[in-house]
């Protein structure tokens, strides 16, 4: 399995005393969906605030059981959950936001700030609007994503692009985020073909310091909940 291989590589790396630790912090993650498994790389040097938030949400199990509720020509969006709700999701959902990250060349992947097939980014709706909803890019070729302030890639898919292709997209833009906020997955039962993320977690295979942006950080502010970026 992908996870076993990555962990074995990490163990081999940690046992080699001649190998210096990387200066760029990269995390591997695995998301299991109803269509299969996706392996991700999260790059903090591409989007420091965004990567730390995404890692934090994964660590808290935030994306476990969420619907892949929006699939259009370019993206698959996820992370909309019910409000109000006890525990982690009440704390994060549509309430606390992070600062925008400066644009970079993403290690050569970002061409003129454009996102690419397999890129991962937060959704947003204005300056410093990133919170908990994110999207995968699944389109090969020209697409409009990457120009907005919040469209800073936090990582990319390394294995499982075909899983993205297989995610059901027949509902298009017809699933109402507001109804998800009000009724959660009970509302999504009206869409029986919808695919879900079953579980996402980080594989601790590289050195990573503690988050310098946490839920208690003053960079978080109240922002509107509905996130539509294209």
């Amino acid at each position: 399995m992908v996870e076993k291989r990555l962990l074995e590589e990490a163990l081999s790396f940690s046992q080699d005393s001649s190998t210096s630790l990387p200066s760029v912090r990269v995390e591997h993650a695995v998301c299991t969906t109803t269509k299969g498994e996706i392996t991700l790389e999260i790059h903090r040097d591409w989007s420091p605030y965004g990567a730390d938030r995404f890692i934090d949400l994964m660590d808290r199990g935030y994306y476990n059981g969420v619907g892949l509720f929006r699939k259009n020509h370019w993206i698959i969006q996820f992370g909309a959950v019910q409000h109000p709700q006890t525990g982690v999701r009440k704390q994060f959902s549509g309430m606390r936001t992070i600062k925008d990250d400066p644009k970079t060349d993403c290690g050569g992947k970002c061409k003129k700030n454009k996102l690419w097939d397999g890129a991962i980014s937060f959704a947003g709706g204005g300056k410093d609007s990133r919170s908990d909803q994110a999207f995968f890019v699944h389109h090969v070729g020209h697409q409009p994503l990457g120009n907005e302030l919040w469209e800073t890639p936090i990582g990319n898919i390394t294995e499982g692009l075909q899983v993205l292709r297989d995610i059901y997209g027949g509902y298009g833009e017809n699933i109402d985020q507001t109804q998800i906020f009000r009724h959660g997955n009970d509302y999504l039962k009206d869409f029986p073909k919808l695919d879900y993320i079953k579980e996402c977690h980080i594989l601790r295979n590289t050195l990573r310091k503690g988050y310098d942006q946490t839920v208690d950080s003053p960079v978080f502010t109240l922002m509107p909940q509905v996130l539509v970026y294209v």
Side-chain angles (χ1 to χ4, degrees):
M1 291 179 61
V2 172
E3 180 173 343
K4 181 179 179 181
R5 175 175 56 79
L6 291 173
L7 289 174
E8 287 174 347
E9 290 174 0
L11 182 60
S12 174
F13 174 88
S14 65
Q15 291 175 340
D16 182 359
S17 60
S18 66
T19 304
S20 59
L21 291 172
S23 59
V24 176
R25 291 185 288 166
V26 178
E27 294 284 8
H28 290 91
V30 173
C31 290
T32 303
T33 76
T34 45
K35 284 295 196 297
E37 193 172 86
I38 298 170
T39 304
L40 321 174
E41 283 183 347
I42 311 301
H43 289 256
R44 192 179 185 281
D45 57 318
W46 297 356
S47 181
Y49 294 152
D52 278 356
R53 166 54 67 88
F54 196 69
I55 290 166
D56 201 0
L57 289 171
M58 279 196 175
D59 281 341
R60 296 167 185 259
Y62 186 85
Y63 295 121
N64 298 349
V66 301
L68 296 159
F69 70 91
R70 183 184 184 214
K71 184 176 184 180
N72 60 25
H73 190 56
W74 300 293
I75 62 95
I76 299 170
Q77 189 169 336
F78 59 96
V81 299
Q82 187 174 2
H83 305 272
Q85 194 168 341
T86 59
V88 175
R89 289 182 176 169
K90 181 179 180 181
Q91 189 175 32
F92 278 93
S93 300
M95 296 170 62
R96 296 174 180 268
T97 62
I98 56 176
K99 288 182 178 179
D100 294 321
D101 283 302
K103 302 287 187 179
T104 73
D105 70 351
C106 314
K109 283 185 172 290
C110 294
K111 307 298 184 182
K112 298 181 179 179
N113 290 332
K114 294 295 185 182
L115 301 185
W116 63 93
D117 187 30
I120 312 160
S121 172
F122 276 100
K127 180 178 173 59
D128 298 336
S129 62
R130 296 179 298 171
S131 177
D132 50 5
Q133 291 193 45
F135 63 86
F136 302 119
V137 180
H138 69 92
H139 179 72
V140 179
H142 178 74
Q143 44 79 17
L145 303 171
N147 293 324
E148 302 292 351
L149 291 171
W150 58 87
E151 291 175 345
T152 306
I154 58 177
N156 64 284
I157 293 173
T158 56
E159 296 184 45
L161 279 172
Q162 186 57 47
V163 173
L164 290 191
R165 313 280 190 249
D166 294 340
I167 295 296
Y168 185 73
Y171 300 124
E173 306 277 348
N174 295 320
I175 296 180
D176 186 348
Q177 290 186 48
T178 303
Q179 294 302 314
I180 300 177
F181 299 152
R182 291 175 178 170
H183 306 291
N185 284 3
D186 284 342
Y187 164 67
L188 294 180
K189 291 177 182 177
D190 294 337
F191 305 90
K193 294 183 179 181
L194 188 71
D195 283 300
Y196 292 80
I197 293 176
K198 293 181 177 180
E199 190 264 350
C200 281
H201 65 278
I202 298 292
L203 304 176
R204 300 300 182 200
N205 63 314
T206 57
L207 179 67
R208 180 166 59 89
K209 298 177 183 178
Y211 308 129
D212 42 21
Q213 297 299 326
T214 67
V215 69
D216 296 320
S217 168
V219 304
F220 297 114
T221 55
L222 296 179
M223 294 294 289
Q225 294 175 333
V226 177
L227 302 176
V228 179
Y229 57 92
V230 292

